[in-house]
Amino acid sequence: MIICSAPGKVYLFGEHAVVYGEPAICCAVDIRTRVSVAPADSITISSSLGTTGIDFETHPYVSAVVERFQDISSLEGVSISIESEIPVGSGLGSSAAVTIATIKALDALLGTDLELDDVARTGHEVEQRIQGAASQTDTYVCTMGGVVMIPQRKGLDLIDCGIVIGNTNIFSSTKELVANVAELNESFPDVIGPVLSSIGKMSVTGEELVNAKDYVSVGKLMNINQGLLDAIGVGCSELSSFTYAARNSGAYGAKITGAGGGGCMVAIAPHERVDGVAAAIAIAGGEVVVTKATDIGVRVESL
């Protein structure tokens, strides 16, 4: 049996603006999806959702990966088991993590010797197939780990502070939210265009601040970014409640991570304030995940 894992991710800056070519800063976080593979007579995929064969309703991403390897190798049967610490549909990269971990596990099992860039590219192609359109950000960060400036794929210094995630457990459609922002931008280009440009400028400024470990200033920029995300209509009352709870409990800053409209927010905080920030988000009604940045991307955990 081979076990591989890949991390989740949060955005420090830039979601939605990145769709319009603006830069974003994304950070791999130490919550992981683990995929176990073993030779078998037939194809089975098992997760908390159930056990299936190739099934694009229940296990779309893993099914697409299996079909991809059937095209490039002699794969006929395999048993695949999935365990994940990453909430599904929350903006934390759950689909990218399971895709990348599955690719790496099958690569190790079949000896196809994919380079990491190949793993990331294949993962992006799989997400495009399933979603219709997909950013390269999630699959790249889940593959490589670390803090990355997108689209330049420039590695930044690892963040050395607490990361607290608050999950609303409210489903939101990334496709719909992106379409809503596009409609706003089409209706009011002279207003929305500069907002998206300002979000992009935060990533440029944030690069220097992250590398300088100036987390007080990083947090201030995150708070401004949150205000602009609210301005383009991707916030919700729960996310606002969690972000203010985090800030009022000593976080450096807090904002939406991902598409918004539900899903998750992220706060960065001094290590000594993490417990208080987590408790405040929980009191506000959030499901809390306390984690940290990680420079470990996809990895083989067991051969």
Side-chain angles (χ1 to χ4, degrees), residues 4 65-66 68-73 99-126 143-144 298-300:
C4 287
V65 172
V66 170
R68 188 68 177 261
F69 274 88
Q70 287 177 322
D71 291 339
I72 65 172
S73 73
T99 300
I100 295 301
T102 304
I103 291 169
K104 186 63 178 175
L106 289 177
D107 172 58
L109 179 69
L110 299 168
T112 46
D113 296 325
L114 295 178
E115 300 290 339
L116 285 179
D117 282 339
D118 297 326
V119 172
R121 184 179 64 253
T122 302
H124 177 235
E125 291 169 355
V126 166
T143 302
M144 303 299 180
V298 67
R299 67 181 178 190
V300 178

Side-chain angles (χ1 to χ4, degrees), residues 8 10 17 30 48 70-71 100 107 111 115-116 133 145 152 177 185 196 204 225 243 257 268 281 288 302:
V10 295
D30 199 25
S48 60
Q70 287 177 322
D71 291 339
I100 295 301
D107 172 58
E115 300 290 339
L116 285 179
Q152 297 89 335
L177 287 159
N185 190 40
L196 296 170
V204 175
N225 196 163
T243 55
T257 179
I268 63 169
I281 295 171
V288 177
S302 176

Side-chain angles (χ1 to χ4, degrees), residues 105-248:
L106 289 177
D107 172 58
L109 179 69
L110 299 168
T112 46
D113 296 325
L114 295 178
E115 300 290 339
L116 285 179
D117 282 339
D118 297 326
V119 172
R121 184 179 64 253
T122 302
H124 177 235
E125 291 169 355
V126 166
E127 285 212 317
Q128 280 186 310
R129 176 184 173 184
I130 300 303
Q131 298 175 7
S135 165
Q136 298 180 33
T137 304
D138 289 16
T139 44
Y140 185 82
V141 173
C142 288
T143 302
M144 303 299 180
V147 182
V148 182
M149 177 85 116
I150 299 295
Q152 297 89 335
R153 297 188 175 185
K154 183 177 183 180
L156 310 185
D157 287 356
L158 198 66
I159 292 172
D160 182 21
C161 62
I163 295 177
V164 185
I165 295 165
N167 189 356
T168 65
N169 285 309
I170 297 171
F171 174 78
S172 62
S173 166
T174 298
K175 186 175 182 179
E176 288 181 12
L177 287 159
V178 169
N180 291 344
V181 174
E183 184 179 343
L184 265 183
N185 190 40
E186 188 174 331
S187 299
F188 307 105
D190 293 339
V191 175
I192 302 302
V195 173
L196 296 170
S197 177
S198 292
I199 292 174
K201 288 174 183 175
M202 286 181 204
S203 297
V204 175
T205 303
E207 175 188 358
E208 298 178 8
L209 298 175
V210 167
N211 286 337
K213 301 190 183 302
D214 182 357
Y215 302 128
V216 171
S217 296
V218 170
K220 289 178 180 177
L221 272 186
M222 289 174 67
N223 293 343
I224 297 169
N225 196 163
Q226 171 64 19
L228 296 182
L229 289 170
D230 272 334
I232 61 173
V234 299
C236 69
S237 59
E238 291 85 356
L239 288 168
S240 292
S241 175
F242 299 173
T243 55
Y244 279 105
R247 294 174 196 171
N248 292 338

